[in-house]
Amino acid sequence: FDDLCCFHLRLLHTTRFHPHPAMASLVQKLKDITLSPKDGIVAEYIWMDADGKLRSKARTLKKTPRSTADLPDWNYDGSSTNQAPGEDSEVIIKPQAFYPDPFRGAPHILVMTDTYTPQGEPLPTN
C-alpha cells in the first residue's frame, strides 16, 4: 500500500500526467487550505474502497503524532464504498503509516489506513 500511495503522489506531481478534472479540482482545493499549526494538524485518512479507488476523510488533531499509536482509529459508512451491507455498514479504519502532506504542507499529514469490521476482522480490500 505504501508503494501504491507513493506512486499516486508521484503521478500527481509528474508534468506529463493530466489528472481527471475532478481530481485536479480536489488537489487544488487541498493546496488552497491554509491552517496554521495553532489551528491544529490536518490528518487526511486514506484507504482503498471495494472498487480499488482511493477514498479519504480528514480530521483535525491537536498535535503532530510521533507514531501511528498516537493516531486514533476512525470509522465510515462502508455501504457507500461497497465494503459493507447497508444494514450493518460501519467500517473501522486503522492507521498503518503516515507521511508529510505534500498538498497542504507541514505540519499536516497523510495517514495510510487498513479497513476492518467493527469486530476487528480485516476487509479483503486491504
Side-chain angles (χ1 to χ4, degrees), residues 71-90:
L71 294 165
D73 292 351
W74 207 4
N75 68 338
Y76 66 92
D77 178 356
S79 65
S80 65
T81 62
N82 297 319
Q83 291 173 293
E87 64 277 355
D88 185 19
S89 62
E90 184 178 30

Side-chain angles (χ1 to χ4, degrees), residues 51-120:
D51 299 318
K53 295 179 183 169
L54 290 177
R55 299 288 188 129
S56 73
K57 63 189 261 187
R59 71 184 308 153
T60 304
L61 305 174
K62 293 183 189 261
K63 61 182 181 175
T64 303
R66 293 178 190 227
S67 73
T68 56
D70 297 333
L71 294 165
D73 292 351
W74 207 4
N75 68 338
Y76 66 92
D77 178 356
S79 65
S80 65
T81 62
N82 297 319
Q83 291 173 293
E87 64 277 355
D88 185 19
S89 62
E90 184 178 30
V91 172
I92 308 300
I93 47 180
K94 294 179 178 273
Q96 302 300 311
F98 65 94
Y99 304 94
D101 186 332
F103 307 110
R104 293 183 180 107
H108 311 296
I109 58 173
L110 301 178
V111 182
M112 305 301 115
T113 66
D114 281 342
T115 54
Y116 295 85
T117 67
Q119 294 74 34

